[in-house]
Amino acid sequence: ASSKPQPHSVAHVERAMCTAVERADQLLATSGLDVTDNGTTALLCMLTPERLTATWVGDSRAVLGVRWA
């Protein structure tokens, strides 16, 4: 059996979100921007028919609104 997680599995989504945050951090660190006195937050969400997955860095907040018919 393969150990590669299936697309949209919890493990796959978690790995993809962690990779995205790490890559954004690398890009910011090598951007040449002076970020020594700046704060940064990030929020990522993925919605599938089965679940909502969210991850955040820093002081971020997400609000989910639903309109009922």
Side-chain angles (χ1 to χ4, degrees):
S2 173
S3 64
K4 184 176 179 182
Q6 296 300 310
H8 299 169
S9 71
V10 173
H12 187 265
V13 171
E14 286 177 354
R15 185 176 302 160
M17 287 183 161
C18 287
T19 299
V21 169
E22 290 169 355
R23 182 67 179 133
D25 186 55
Q26 292 169 352
L27 289 169
L28 184 59
T30 60
S31 69
L33 297 171
D34 180 7
V35 295
T36 54
D37 292 323
N38 297 311
T40 302
T41 66
L43 175 68
L44 292 88
C45 294
M46 180 174 175
L47 179 62
T48 68
E50 295 81 27
R51 81 178 43 86
L52 170 66
T53 305
T55 188
W56 60 92
V57 176
D59 185 17
S60 300
R61 179 179 299 175
V63 177
L64 175 64
V66 178
R67 184 187 340 186
W68 297 99

